[in-house]
């Protein structure tokens, strides 16, 4: 599909449904697991001092867009004379650095802040950005999932929630840039949005892509590994081949931006996880035996210890495949 066809198709789709998270310190913050669980360790309490100053960087991409890396999920930004937009907000400390250094801001109010999903390394900076922004936008499920996760963690007082939500598609014209957000169903969580700067031809995938890193599959947060595979296939078909793709987290060797085919690398990893677990179940193995794997064959780039996240992830996939209807 060429870019013109993509934009026309997206516009038609949006017309029917509009109304309604360095250089990879980020991966360590999102991906540090609790032993054997496949789940990230609890985030540092908001406002607490980090172990050391975060390594941060603004990197322009094209046509007034760029990324900010620090601590947490990759922030995308648009900074033009006619509009200011931020995608994801990391943690409060790096959010302050991002807000202060956003190119060309000069104390202007941000038009839009978008959250790709509810995880704290993507929404923890919302309280920093909210006073300087007109609105925070997220998929409809995100505030509910964010509330539930914060309630369980005892961090409700640290939350700021989206005040504008959408179901499947959201569009916004910001100066000379058009922004498209789309939801394809549960995957990494139950509320993952893919966000595109259409004229710049830049697509922010959020945590739908952990670029050559074993992912976090948030089943309590509505995740579906099987649907995640389908989402990546749908996005690969729907979004342009010549776009720059931004990923929530990435192996330092590969980074947090890449071409469209990196979506299929992530898809292949997820499918291999499903296939490994399904084969073990069919062979009569229990969860412990299926999860006892140091690295998934064929995917050496995804193993970035310590610690090894794979056993916990396989256990999560086992739970998904054996869950009773």
């Amino acid at each position: 599909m060429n870019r013109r066809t993509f934009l026309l198709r997206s516009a038609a789709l949006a017309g029917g449904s509009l109304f309604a998270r360095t250089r990879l310190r980020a991966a360590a913050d999102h991906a540090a697991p609790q032993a054997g669980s496949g789940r990230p360790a609890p985030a540092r309490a908001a406002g607490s001092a980090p172990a050391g100053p975060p390594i941060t960087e603004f990197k322009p991409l094209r046509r007034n867009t760029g990324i900010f890396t620090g601590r947490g999920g990759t922030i995308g930004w648009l900074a033009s004379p006619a509009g200011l937009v931020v995608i994801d907000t990391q943690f409060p400390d790096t959010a302050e650095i991002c807000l202060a250094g956003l190119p060309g801001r000069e104390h202007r109010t941000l038009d839009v802040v978008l959250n790709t999903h509810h995880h704290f390394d993507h929404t923890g900076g919302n309280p920093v950005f909210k006073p300087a922004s007109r609105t925070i936008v997220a998929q409809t499920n995100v505030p509910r999932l964010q509330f539930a996760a914060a309630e369980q963690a005892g961090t409700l007082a640290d939350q700021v929630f989206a005040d504008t939500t959408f179901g499947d598609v959201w569009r916004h014209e910001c100066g000379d840039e058009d922004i498209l957000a789309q939801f394809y169903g549960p995957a990494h969580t139950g509320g993952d949005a893919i966000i595109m700067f259409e004229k710049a031809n830049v697509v922010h995938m959020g945590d739908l892509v952990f670029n050559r890193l074993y992912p976090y599959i948030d089943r309590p947060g509505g995740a579906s590994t099987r649907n995640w595979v389908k989402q990546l296939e749908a996005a690969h078909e729907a979004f342009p081949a010549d776009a720059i793709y931004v990923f929530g987290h990435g192996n330092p060797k590969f980074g947090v931006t890449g071409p469209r085919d990196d979506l299929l690398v992530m898809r292949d990893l997820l499918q291999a996880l499903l296939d490994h677990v399904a084969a073990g179940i069919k062979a009569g193995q229990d969860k412990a035996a299926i999860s006892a794997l140091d690295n998934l064959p064929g995917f050496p780039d995804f193993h970035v210890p310590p610690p090894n996240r794979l056993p916990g992830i396989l256990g999560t996939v086992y739970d998904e495949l054996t869950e009773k209807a």
Side-chain angles (χ1 to χ4, degrees):
M1 177 186 300
N2 62 40
R3 185 163 175 255
R4 175 177 174 81
T5 302
F6 164 76
L7 294 177
L8 290 172
R9 182 176 297 181
S10 295
L13 178 62
S17 51
L18 170 59
F19 300 104
R21 160 172 246 303
T22 106
R23 303 171 177 92
L24 199 79
R25 208 154 157 177
D29 285 301
H30 189 289
Q34 298 173 9
S37 69
R39 183 182 180 91
R44 183 183 292 113
S48 65
I55 300 170
T56 62
E57 180 184 17
F58 287 92
K59 180 181 178 180
L61 294 178
R62 60 188 177 200
R63 206 178 184 277
N64 300 314
T65 66
I67 59 172
F68 172 85
T69 50
R71 194 171 67 85
T74 307
I75 290 177
W77 49 264
L78 166 72
S80 73
L84 291 172
V85 177
V86 161
I87 302 172
D88 285 338
T89 65
Q90 295 191 356
F91 294 98
D93 56 347
T94 52
E96 290 177 356
I97 296 169
C98 182
L99 181 62
L102 193 63
R105 179 184 169 231
E106 298 175 350
H107 304 290
R108 293 156 56 198
T109 298
L110 276 69
D111 297 275
V112 181
V113 171
L114 296 106
N115 295 149
T116 60
H117 62 292
H118 72 279
H119 288 154
F120 193 65
D121 64 317
H122 296 255
T123 62
N126 283 5
V128 174
F129 279 97
K130 175 59 177 175
S133 307
R134 291 188 174 90
T135 187
I136 299 179
V137 177
Q139 199 275 336
T140 300
N141 296 327
V142 169
R144 172 181 58 82
L145 294 170
Q146 185 179 343
F147 184 95
E151 186 175 45
Q152 183 177 21
T155 60
L156 276 175
D158 302 326
Q159 307 302 313
V160 166
F161 302 93
D163 47 60
T164 299
T165 61
F166 66 93
D168 296 327
V169 179
W170 179 86
R171 294 187 65 92
H172 179 74
E173 184 177 321
C174 187
D176 62 350
E177 183 57 84
D178 295 326
I179 305 164
L180 168 70
Q182 292 185 268
F183 172 66
Y184 289 89
H188 167 63
T189 70
D192 302 283
I194 300 172
I195 301 164
M196 182 178 188
F197 296 121
E198 291 184 328
K199 293 183 179 178
N201 202 21
V202 172
V203 180
H204 197 306
M205 297 296 298
D207 280 5
L208 290 174
V209 176
F210 285 66
N211 194 20
R212 275 74 168 187
L213 285 173
Y214 287 135
Y216 171 42
I217 305 168
D218 187 2
R219 290 190 73 242
S224 168
T225 312
R226 288 171 286 197
N227 199 61
W228 194 343
V229 169
K230 296 176 183 177
Q231 268 214 39
L232 290 169
E233 290 175 343
H236 185 270
E237 180 179 352
F239 290 93
D242 58 348
I244 297 173
Y245 289 79
V246 177
F247 312 129
H249 304 277
N251 183 320
K253 179 179 176 181
F254 294 91
V256 292
T257 62
R260 186 176 65 170
D261 282 354
D262 283 345
L263 279 61
L264 298 185
V265 176
M266 185 73 199
R267 180 221 38 200
D268 291 346
L269 180 278
L270 293 167
Q271 187 61 58
L273 292 170
L274 289 163
D275 292 345
H276 171 82
V277 174
I281 294 170
K282 185 176 181 180
Q285 295 180 318
D286 62 13
K287 180 176 179 178
I290 291 171
S291 302
L293 193 64
D294 290 331
N295 199 16
L296 197 63
F299 298 90
D301 293 328
F302 283 77
H303 182 55
V304 186
N308 187 1
R309 305 187 65 213
L310 182 59
I313 293 166
L314 291 170
T316 299
V317 175
Y318 177 92
D319 292 340
E320 179 178 332
L321 295 186
T322 57
E323 183 179 40
K324 299 189 185 304

